[in-house]
């Protein structure tokens, strides 16, 4: 019954993260060219893992900047993995709507 109400967000460590809000934040952040998110559970806690393609002009500390922006906005610190330029778009090939958020808590 609640599927439609909960389809646009995920709860991580008690914090509701709206997909649209997160996407808007990432696309407003100049250090980020593209991104994908995986929500994982390591047996004790949930983790928000951000796969990020840095913008071409992003400084070397771009991941620290992005982590700080996410922490300030959503009150959760992400695990960030920098990936090669174009790899995220390539993983979305064949998808009508890019699956930017994947809940892997199973």
């Amino acid at each position: 019954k609640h599927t439609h109400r909960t389809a646009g967000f995920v709860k991580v460590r008690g914090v509701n993260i709206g997909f649209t809000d997160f996407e808007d934040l990432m696309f407003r952040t100049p250090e980020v060219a593209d991104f994908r998110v995986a929500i994982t559970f390591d047996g004790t806690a949930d983790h928000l893992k951000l796969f990020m393609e840095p913008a071409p002009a992003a400084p070397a500390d771009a991941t620290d900047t992005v982590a700080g922006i996410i922490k300030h906005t959503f009150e959760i610190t992400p695990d960030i993995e920098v990936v090669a330029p174009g790899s995220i778009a390539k993983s979305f090939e064949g998808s009508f709507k890019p699956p930017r958020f994947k809940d892997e808590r199973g």
Side-chain angles (χ1 to χ4, degrees):
K1 265 187 161 177
H2 299 287
T3 305
H4 296 290
R5 287 192 310 174
T6 61
F9 74 91
V10 65
K11 192 175 232 181
V12 180
R13 294 188 195 166
V15 177
N16 290 331
I17 299 174
F19 297 161
T20 304
D21 295 334
F22 196 90
E23 283 183 351
D24 290 347
L25 179 67
M26 289 295 94
F27 289 128
R28 280 193 322 262
T29 305
E31 291 84 0
V32 178
D34 205 354
F35 76 97
R36 184 172 56 83
V37 174
I39 309 300
T40 61
F41 181 71
D42 68 3
T44 57
D46 294 329
H47 296 275
L48 186 144
K49 182 152 188 174
L50 176 69
F51 297 91
M52 178 182 108
E53 289 180 23
D61 67 345
T63 57
D64 294 337
T65 301
V66 172
I69 291 168
I70 294 170
K71 173 71 174 173
H72 175 74
T73 305
F74 295 103
E75 299 179 358
I76 188 164
T77 303
D79 300 324
I80 299 179
E81 182 177 322
V82 174
V83 297
S87 62
I88 292 174
K90 191 173 192 171
S91 72
F92 293 154
E93 285 179 2
S95 298
F96 177 69
K97 182 177 180 189
R100 292 198 182 274
F101 295 86
K102 186 171 183 183
D103 193 339
E104 298 177 349
R105 293 179 285 191

